[in-house]
Amino acid sequence: MFFQMDVHGKIREVLAETIREELAPEHQQLSTEDLIKALRQRGIIDDVMKELKFVTDVNEKVRTSAPKPSTHFVDREPPVLEKTNIDPTRRYLYLQVLGGKAFLEHLQEPEPLPGQICSTFTLCLHFRNQRFRSKPVPCACEPDFHDGFLLEVHKDSLGDRSKMMDATTMLSICDPVHIVLIKTDTFGETTLVASYFLEWRSVLAAENGITNVAVELLGVGTESKVSVGVLNVRLEMYPQLSKMLSPEVTNTQFALEHQKTAEKERLFLVYAKQWWREYLQIRPTHNVRLVKIFAQDENGVNHPVCSYIRPLRAGRLLDTPRQAARFVSVLGYERAPVIGGGGGKQEQWCTLLAFLCRNKGDCEDHANLLCSLLLGFGLEAFVCVGTKAKGVPHTWVMTCGTDGTVTFWESLTGHRYIHRPINPDDPPLVEQPKPLYPYRTIGCIFNHQKFFGNCQPSDAVEVCVFDLHDESKWKPMSGEAIKSVCPPGTTSSVPPFPPLCASPIDAAITSNEIELQMRLLVSEHRKDLGLSTVWDDHLSYLLSPALAAYELERTTSISAGNEEFQDAVRRAVPDGHTFKGFPIHFVYRNARRAFATCLRSPFCEEIICCRGDQVRLAVRVRVFTYPESACAVWIMFACKYRSVL
């Protein structure tokens, strides 16, 4: 993967030759030094060092606050590649994925023909603020993964970070390697297949500092007990450790950590039960309120809800809280899948890596991410758990201003609503504020440090007062109890947050591609109706400012530039002609799917199927990219024709 020349082959040849020459006379033992000397003499080591260029994606240079040398490479289109050097004073874990087996769901999958588009598997990894992505491989019973990742093992809390770490120090780093397996179908739709936490420290006690692990991946959600396949993983420390640990030492450390976490979680559970009993004693009707203390992740494991939130800084990728809300809203929305009918809601609060790599998730995933980003921007933010119309459970985000202003943020749309409570004790003639938000009831609110249960007489949002210091309105949980199971007070069983990555999508290229596809689809559709199509390139270009203004308005709530757009259109449309335009917004890049949706709108269909004298058509596509693979796609269809009355 790293080098063009067949290094392994050359080394094997030299070793065979050395053993023949050196050992023939008197079968003595050859040391590692002898073999390295032989390799040096033949110039192999120099060749390897020349060839060993770790490639990193320039897009990936955007890291979170602490700058760390980036030594990984990410397979992306279009890649902007540059060489990075390995720091010889640091320790690295070289993780190789050498194929997969027993992915039985793909047993009948036919071999893809060359050039044929097929479903693919991609592995996404996160380890201590570093993120990696494998090359996509065709889905098969034995997927052909062949990737190497160089993970830097550093310890932030040690003063002397430049010092080479020994095995004992590394044993104290309990962050796992989080591996997420994503399936992408032929239409570009993603599915979360598996989410696995790899305990890498077994390599510290492995013979020769190398260990091979068969990682059994289990499914997610309702299939979290079902095996989906096995990955062959090889772990190796680089440079090699001079002194290995014994397996007893590593196993004792793992057992102690597990015991400590389990005990903290047990104590929190005892406390939570006591808190819930007290909450029910306030008012028996509290048992129907949506007070959520624990939630299941994609692997079906329960965690305190507070551990799903952490202040998240987006580096230079997002500039404002409102831009963060826009970013979260353009990540796809998809309810967790349920097998069978019944209309029940499958609960699945995804870990952040799984949500970002899949590029879509449920409303809880969106709310948790938005709350974390708003906390990162220094706001006092909470996730609210309650219901929308018709009693549908929902989560959204709330911020409390220093002046007491309460703002609701809808994470699925980016909309913001100021909350002004209605006072039910006011006389009938007093004018009450009319709520614009879609929320009906609220059961609890929480963030990474606080949890409050709503104990006001009514849980209706419109009469709710958010005086969080008043324990007669909001029953708090002990901050110490929350700190005991949530970072930074403890190592949580929910993994650390990965940093956000810059967008891999080229906005201009993608906009052009979708626009060309749209033109073809419109022309084909009109041809089927027996209509010819004449495109007006100038009119198409004039639609750009409108699309830019729509996106600006979604992000900032400020409308700008409409006068110039209208003036330009008036000049482009001669007297006696009619102009019609229709903008539409998507969060995916599948042109055919977008076109089918457009045709369902009578306004849009009227433009696309326009008949008349001197009909000229225009279409403009503008893709706005956000971190990860999130993007807002704006499309505007327009036509001008001579009005015949």
Side-chain angles (χ1 to χ4, degrees):
M1 166 116 195
F2 290 142
F3 10 87
Q4 288 81 34
M5 62 184 245
D6 180 11
V7 174
H8 296 296
K10 286 200 177 182
I11 290 175
R12 272 193 213 96
E13 281 169 31
V14 172
L15 294 183
E17 196 182 312
T18 310
I19 287 165
R20 274 201 306 277
E21 286 173 9
E22 310 280 334
L23 290 188
E26 63 285 293
H27 301 285
Q28 76 227 30
Q29 286 292 309
L30 274 179
S31 68
T32 311
E33 283 74 28
D34 296 332
L35 295 174
I36 286 181
K37 197 172 95 189
L39 290 170
R40 267 195 208 289
Q41 280 170 354
R42 289 161 180 77
I44 300 285
I45 285 185
D46 296 339
D47 288 354
V48 170
M49 292 321 280
K50 273 190 220 124
E51 289 286 339
L52 194 65
K53 300 180 187 102
F54 290 91
V55 174
T56 182
D57 190 328
V58 174
N59 294 331
E60 283 287 299
K61 273 299 169 72
V62 185
R63 283 272 153 256
T64 46
S65 47
K68 304 205 174 68
S70 174
T71 48
H72 67 283
F73 41 86
V74 176
D75 200 61
R76 288 262 188 77
E77 314 86 35
V80 190
L81 300 176
E82 60 169 33
K83 295 166 194 168
T84 63
N85 299 319
I86 304 168
D87 185 341
T89 65
R90 288 172 182 263
R91 286 261 181 237
Y92 296 91
L93 172 69
Y94 182 37
L95 186 153
Q96 286 172 282
V97 183
L98 305 169
K101 55 178 189 274
F103 284 78
L104 299 178
E105 199 172 309
H106 300 278
L107 198 57
Q108 307 300 325
E109 206 93 3
E111 276 283 304
L113 299 166
Q116 181 190 0
I117 295 176
C118 61
S119 298
T120 57
F121 280 143
T122 310
L123 288 169
C124 303
L125 281 73
H126 168 231
F127 177 68
R128 295 182 74 73
N129 231 26
Q130 305 157 75
R131 281 180 62 185
F132 312 82
R133 182 184 284 265
S134 73
K135 285 204 292 287
V137 300
C139 293
C141 183
E142 298 193 353
D144 188 25
F145 290 112
H146 258 278
D147 270 299
F149 308 99
L150 200 66
L151 288 65
E152 188 191 319
V153 186
H154 53 76
K155 192 150 179 73
D156 295 334
S157 57
L158 289 179
D160 189 6
R161 277 181 53 193
S162 59
K163 207 172 98 188
M164 178 76 82
M165 268 196 277
D166 60 6
T168 316
T169 313
M170 284 192 286
L171 187 59
S172 68
I173 297 177
C174 54
D175 294 345
V177 179
H178 190 183
I179 301 174
V180 165
L181 178 62
I182 301 288
K183 179 184 173 181
T184 309
D185 71 12
T186 49
F187 301 106
E189 288 296 309
T190 53
T191 317
L192 176 63
V193 180
S195 173
Y196 184 84
F197 298 100
L198 176 68
E199 177 49 81
W200 59 275
R201 291 173 293 174
S202 55
V203 73
L204 301 176
E207 216 174 319
N208 307 325
I210 298 173
T211 181
N212 291 299
V213 190
V215 170
E216 185 185 16
L217 300 177
L218 298 175
V220 293
T222 48
E223 298 174 39
S224 58
K225 304 282 183 285
V226 183
S227 174
V228 292
V230 177
L231 289 180
N232 297 320
V233 173
R234 181 185 172 95
L235 300 171
E236 187 176 347
M237 287 312 300
Y238 174 86
Q240 261 198 341
L241 292 166
S242 51
K243 186 164 171 277
M244 306 305 293
L245 300 174
S246 72
E248 290 76 36
V249 171
T250 55
N251 291 336
T252 307
Q253 174 75 9
F254 301 157
L256 282 171
E257 283 173 6
H258 180 72
Q259 200 179 327
K260 201 170 160 188
T261 308
E263 181 59 14
K264 280 182 174 176
E265 287 175 353
R266 188 189 68 78
L267 289 172
F268 181 78
L269 180 61
V270 169
Y271 169 76
K273 282 180 173 174
Q274 174 63 27
W275 184 94
W276 177 245
R277 274 197 297 275
E278 290 169 6
Y279 181 69
L280 290 183
Q281 281 165 12
I282 298 170
R283 214 176 271 111
T285 53
H286 282 182
N287 67 346
V288 294
R289 293 192 180 181
L290 282 179
V291 177
K292 191 147 194 56
I293 303 171
F294 293 93
Q296 281 189 1
D297 67 9
E298 64 263 33
N299 292 328
V301 179
N302 270 315
H303 304 283
V305 289
C306 296
S307 60
Y308 287 89
I309 308 291
R310 253 161 254 192
L312 178 62
R313 285 163 52 172
R316 304 231 175 243
L317 299 177
L318 296 166
D319 296 317
T320 66
R322 294 189 191 190
Q323 197 184 9
R326 179 64 179 147
F327 155 58
V328 174
S329 74
V330 297
L331 286 165
Y333 168 59
E334 183 180 86
R335 290 181 62 170
V338 181
I339 296 176
K345 186 177 190 301
Q346 168 65 30
E347 178 182 271
Q348 185 177 301
W349 290 32
C350 278
T351 53
L352 183 56
L353 185 69
F355 176 36
L356 294 175
C357 295
R358 210 173 126 218
N359 209 29
K360 59 185 175 188
D362 214 330
C363 65
E364 291 88 356
D365 304 326
H366 286 79
N368 291 342
L369 173 56
L370 178 56
C371 183
S372 298
L373 286 166
L374 295 182
L375 287 166
F377 275 113
L379 301 179
E380 186 176 21
F382 295 90
V383 171
C384 305
V385 180
T387 61
K388 291 192 295 187
K390 296 180 182 167
V392 176
H394 190 62
T395 55
W396 65 97
V397 177
M398 171 186 99
T399 51
C400 303
T402 47
D403 59 354
T405 306
V406 169
T407 309
F408 293 148
W409 303 62
E410 177 46 65
S411 62
L412 297 177
T413 61
H415 291 158
R416 297 163 62 255
Y417 310 94
I418 303 291
H419 170 66
R420 293 186 184 87
I422 290 171
N423 185 352
D425 301 328
D426 276 345
L429 291 177
V430 174
E431 197 180 337
Q432 295 287 3
K434 190 163 173 33
L436 298 171
Y437 44 78
Y439 318 119
R440 293 290 180 269
T441 67
I442 183 164
C444 66
I445 64 170
F446 64 89
N447 62 18
H448 62 306
Q449 292 172 331
K450 298 173 183 175
F451 184 100
F452 296 96
N454 182 1
C455 48
Q456 293 167 65
S458 166
D459 63 352
V461 179
E462 58 187 19
V463 297
C464 196
V465 176
F466 287 94
D467 179 0
L468 302 178
H469 300 292
D470 185 345
E471 292 197 14
S472 69
K473 292 186 171 69
W474 293 95
K475 179 171 170 57
M477 259 194 188
S478 146
E480 288 303 308
I482 292 169
K483 200 187 278 184
S484 73
V485 285
C486 298
T490 180
T491 54
S492 159
S493 50
V494 171
F497 275 11
L500 293 181
C501 286
S503 175
I505 300 161
D506 185 305
I509 290 172
T510 312
S511 301
N512 281 339
E513 282 173 355
I514 298 174
E515 192 171 304
L516 284 170
Q517 288 171 313
M518 280 296 171
R519 284 195 172 202
L520 277 170
L521 290 165
V522 170
S523 300
E524 277 175 17
H525 186 73
R526 287 177 62 84
K527 194 174 167 189
D528 291 344
L529 298 171
L531 299 169
S532 62
T533 308
V534 183
W535 292 102
D536 185 329
D537 290 343
H538 178 59
L539 186 59
S540 296
Y541 180 69
L542 297 186
L543 304 176
S544 292
L547 300 182
Y550 298 145
E551 184 59 25
L552 182 70
E553 191 173 356
R554 288 286 176 103
T555 310
T556 61
S557 309
I558 297 164
S559 180
N562 196 30
E563 304 82 4
E564 294 89 340
F565 168 62
Q566 289 188 354
D567 192 62
V569 168
R570 283 195 194 100
R571 288 174 180 280
V573 179
D575 285 347
H577 282 63
T578 301
F579 170 84
K580 286 180 181 173
F582 178 79
I584 191 164
H585 167 256
F586 298 99
V587 296
Y588 50 81
R589 307 191 301 279
N590 184 328
R592 201 168 280 279
R593 183 178 156 198
F595 185 66
T597 307
C598 293
L599 284 177
R600 286 203 287 276
S601 157
F603 300 108
C604 190
E605 205 230 7
E606 194 181 307
I607 292 170
I608 290 169
C609 307
C610 180
R611 296 165 184 268
D613 187 18
Q614 295 179 26
V615 175
R616 297 290 179 271
L617 290 167
V619 63
R620 190 67 168 165
V621 176
R622 176 72 166 90
V623 174
F624 296 88
T625 57
Y626 286 91
E628 303 298 322
S629 301
C631 61
V633 178
W634 283 96
I635 302 173
M636 191 163 186
F637 293 98
C639 67
K640 63 175 184 181
Y641 56 91
R642 189 155 165 235
S643 313
V644 181
L645 289 172

